[in-house]
Amino acid sequence: MRSLFSGTTAEKLAQLRAGLRHAFAVQPENQPLAVEDVQLLERIADVIVNRRMTAPATMFLESMGPMNFLGCQALHFLTPILDCAFNTKEVEQVARLLERRDTVTRLIAIIETKSAPQGAVAQ
């Protein structure tokens, strides 16, 4: 077994760099969502719009967008506890969706589309 402390500093740095090359890799954006995922986002948007929480929800989602992966990990961690109040399948589906960086922007777009007045014209 090779020791971590054997070899030159350049070799150690190259090994460390090779080991961490894909440590923070994420899926590429703009991949199509599954039908079930789109339906879940539509239901979430409907609830937000029906409760007239469009502006606060949009502001919250835009401000927390960069931390969506941390929220995903928290949901994975809290799934056994959330099982008492929510459907486990949907909690896991939301957690899986939050792993994607573009999900928050897609949800914001759906909310804004649903909250726009019918027949509104952009000025």
Side-chain angles (χ1 to χ4, degrees), residues 10-30:
E11 289 176 0
K12 290 181 204 176
L13 186 59
Q15 289 174 352
L16 180 64
R17 192 174 297 146
L20 294 176
R21 181 163 298 163
H22 299 290
F24 302 103
V26 294
Q27 295 179 352
E29 293 184 15
N30 299 327

Side-chain angles (χ1 to χ4, degrees), residues 1-68:
M1 184 171 161
R2 188 172 174 182
S3 173
L4 181 64
F5 298 105
S6 63
T8 65
T9 306
E11 289 176 0
K12 290 181 204 176
L13 186 59
Q15 289 174 352
L16 180 64
R17 192 174 297 146
L20 294 176
R21 181 163 298 163
H22 299 290
F24 302 103
V26 294
Q27 295 179 352
E29 293 184 15
N30 299 327
Q31 289 184 343
L33 291 173
V35 175
E36 298 85 21
D37 296 339
V38 173
Q39 290 172 346
L40 179 63
L41 291 177
E42 293 277 340
R43 283 195 322 242
I44 292 170
D46 283 336
V47 168
I48 291 170
V49 171
N50 289 339
R51 293 183 181 188
R52 298 181 182 178
M53 297 294 291
T54 303
T58 302
M59 188 174 73
F60 173 76
L61 289 170
E62 286 180 354
S63 66
M64 299 306 286
M67 295 178 37
N68 64 340

